Amino acid sequence: MMSNIQENGYNDTYLFDPEVFLRIDESKFKSDYKNDVTPLKPGVNLQIRPLRLGDFDKGFLDLLKELTVVGDVSQEQFITQFNKMKACSDTYYITVIEDTSKSQIIGTATLVMEKKFIHQATARARIEDVVVGNDYRGLQLGKVLVDLLVCLSQVLGCYKVSLECKEHNVKFYAMFGFEKSPEQNFMQIRFFD
Amino acid sequence: MMSNIQENGYNDTYLFDPEVFLRIDESKFKSDYKNDVTPLKPGVNLQIRPLRLGDFDKGFLDLLKELTVVGDVSQEQFITQFNKMKACSDTYYITVIEDTSKSQIIGTATLVMEKKFIHQATARARIEDVVVGNDYRGLQLGKVLVDLLVCLSQVLGCYKVSLECKEHNVKFYAMFGFEKSPEQNFMQIRFFD
């Protein structure tokens, strides 16, 4: 199966159209950056782009394991889920940073859109599953990912973007304009890990 | 356009397969009910079921206006958004309660599923946009909607279900097993209403 995929260039299939990033006005980026980093050019040998099918082989799931439980997800399961996400129009914007010198995914964040009837039948966005690999901390890559996805959510016409975060990250997210709703509680039931 | 839709029975199109409710084990309902109410039989002349295309004419959007800003959503926009939601597999479970004696939608809640690569490439569910019409308060219908959707999220294989709520609703949601994560903050940026 693997070899067939590679021969067909199937590996290069994007989860979403990379051109949506070009619709972002760079002057809208919210954060300050040092060392010529910008969300669209995060550094030497670092490429930011939509998730691709081939990222299974570039350590995408291993990176997610630095964030939470992933479990044993086979390549077939990965492909199935990728294709289901891709079939949902205007919904899954999983973005990755690849260190092209190592063919390795070293950062990722997800923008997911929920279609609504409220708010003029537009959509709400959420930022989920933000992680930068341990060896790549301190390079402003978390800022790069969040800044890009906040701007993308606005470009895509969402009426709001939200996220859940631990107390020690509140200041980080405030940088982009996120505000705590003092009266809004986050509640959950967990069925399994 | 309207008449065509009605002639074709298009109005009766469900957003999701009503049979998924039959997969719920009724003994799993979390709340206590008076007066023989259960989530699947919420009362005389009250029918709980998936949203249908025809619910535009049964006051579905007017009901949502009791919750938040809806704006001016035309029937054509409603149909377009409905069809986009329906095209996203295993994602939108908008459930309504109709008072069949008045052909009126008097309650609704949404279960929306987000496909994940984490947690064994399963999905996370959220409960959103819960509203019971002003004239139908005190009939346990909020409990009915939430109980049904929590059970549905588990049946559908989600690893967790979450929601955001105001402080005065924390006790209500605790009834179903929802817990506040003391360290988890909810943050948002609003672009428009």
Side-chain angles (χ1 to χ4, degrees):
Chain A
M1 191 177 204
M2 266 297 296
S3 62
N4 255 339
I5 290 169
Q6 288 175 329
E7 280 163 22
N8 293 332
Y10 190 50
N11 253 343
D12 293 335
T13 303
Y14 284 109
L15 181 61
F16 63 95
D17 183 354
E19 299 216 339
V20 297
F21 290 145
L22 303 179
R23 293 167 54 192
I24 295 172
D25 175 354
E26 296 190 36
S27 72
K28 297 280 168 63
F29 289 132
K30 302 281 196 305
S31 188
D32 291 324
Y33 296 94
K34 296 166 290 185
N35 307 329
D36 292 327
V37 165
T38 79
L40 294 171
K41 292 181 184 168
V44 178
N45 294 327
L46 297 180
Q47 186 194 18
I48 191 164
R49 58 166 172 79
L51 181 71
R52 289 198 302 232
L53 261 182
D55 292 337
F56 181 88
D57 290 322
K58 292 184 173 178
F60 175 64
L61 296 183
D62 291 329
L63 177 65
L64 286 177
K65 284 175 187 168
E66 294 192 31
L67 178 72
T68 188
V69 173
V70 177
D72 191 21
V73 175
S74 68
Q75 185 171 36
E76 198 180 337
Q77 289 172 313
F78 176 81
I79 293 171
T80 301
Q81 191 75 320
F82 183 101
N83 286 329
K84 283 184 181 173
M85 289 178 179
K86 196 171 162 70
C88 294
S89 71
D90 305 327
T91 304
Y92 294 98
Y93 295 86
I94 302 179
T95 298
V96 300
I97 299 174
E98 176 178 350
D99 180 340
T100 54
S101 73
K102 297 180 176 179
S103 292
Q104 200 187 338
I105 305 302
I106 57 92
T108 184
T110 295
L111 185 80
V112 57
M113 278 170 60
E114 180 198 337
K115 300 176 202 308
K116 292 286 198 185
F117 289 112
I118 57 176
H119 302 283
Q120 279 89 41
T122 55
R124 166 184 184 168
R126 291 185 176 87
I127 291 180
E128 293 270 313
D129 305 331
V130 179
V131 53
V132 172
N134 217 8
D135 298 343
Y136 292 82
R137 305 276 164 88
L139 299 176
Q140 308 169 274
L141 300 179
K143 278 200 308 195
V144 154
L145 286 162
V146 174
D147 209 346
L148 188 67
L149 293 186
V150 168
C151 290
L152 185 60
S153 69
Q154 188 163 21
V155 159
L156 294 172
C158 295
Y159 71 91
K160 76 174 175 185
V161 56
S162 67
L163 56 81
E164 301 128 31
C165 75
K166 295 286 195 317
E167 189 61 33
H168 64 267
N169 283 323
V170 165
K171 260 195 179 166
F172 171 74
Y173 287 112
M175 230 169 18
F176 311 98
F178 284 97
E179 291 180 12
K180 267 197 343 187
S181 304
E183 287 185 8
Q184 201 74 311
N185 294 286
F186 171 76
M187 300 185 80
Q188 65 174 36
I189 303 171
R190 186 169 287 264
F191 300 119
F192 64 87
D193 258 336
Chain B
M1 191 176 200
M2 265 298 297
S3 62
N4 254 339
I5 290 170
Q6 289 175 329
E7 281 163 22
N8 292 332
Y10 191 50
N11 253 343
D12 294 334
T13 304
Y14 284 110
L15 182 61
F16 64 94
D17 183 354
E19 300 217 339
V20 297
F21 290 146
L22 303 179
R23 292 167 54 192
I24 295 172
D25 175 355
E26 296 190 36
S27 72
K28 296 281 168 62
F29 289 133
K30 302 281 196 305
S31 188
D32 292 323
Y33 295 94
K34 297 166 292 185
N35 308 328
D36 292 327
V37 164
T38 78
L40 293 171
K41 292 182 184 169
V44 178
N45 294 327
L46 297 180
Q47 186 194 20
I48 191 162
R49 59 166 173 78
L51 181 71
R52 289 198 301 233
L53 261 182
D55 292 336
F56 182 87
D57 290 322
K58 293 184 174 177
F60 175 64
L61 296 183
D62 291 330
L63 178 64
L64 286 177
K65 284 174 186 168
E66 294 191 32
L67 178 72
T68 189
V69 174
V70 176
D72 191 20
V73 176
S74 69
Q75 185 171 36
E76 198 180 338
Q77 288 172 313
F78 176 80
I79 293 170
T80 301
Q81 192 74 322
F82 183 101
N83 286 330
K84 282 184 181 173
M85 288 178 180
K86 195 171 162 73
C88 294
S89 70
D90 306 327
T91 304
Y92 294 98
Y93 296 87
I94 302 180
T95 298
V96 300
I97 300 175
E98 177 178 349
D99 181 340
T100 53
S101 73
K102 298 180 176 177
S103 292
Q104 202 187 336
I105 305 303
I106 57 92
T108 185
T110 295
L111 186 80
V112 57
M113 279 170 60
E114 181 198 337
K115 300 177 203 306
K116 292 285 199 186
F117 289 112
I118 57 176
H119 302 282
Q120 279 88 41
T122 55
R124 167 183 183 168
R126 291 184 176 87
I127 291 180
E128 293 270 314
D129 306 331
V130 180
V131 54
V132 171
N134 217 7
D135 299 343
Y136 293 82
R137 305 277 164 89
L139 300 175
Q140 309 169 275
L141 301 178
K143 277 201 308 195
V144 154
L145 286 161
V146 174
D147 210 346
L148 188 67
L149 294 187
V150 168
C151 289
L152 186 60
S153 69
Q154 189 165 20
V155 159
L156 294 172
C158 294
Y159 71 91
K160 76 174 175 185
V161 56
S162 67
L163 56 82
E164 301 128 30
C165 75
K166 295 285 195 318
E167 189 61 32
H168 64 268
N169 283 323
V170 165
K171 260 193 179 168
F172 171 75
Y173 287 112
M175 231 169 19
F176 311 97
F178 284 97
E179 291 180 11
K180 268 199 336 190
S181 304
E183 286 184 9
Q184 201 75 312
N185 294 286
F186 172 76
M187 300 185 79
Q188 65 175 36
I189 303 171
R190 185 169 288 265
F191 301 119
F192 63 88
D193 258 337

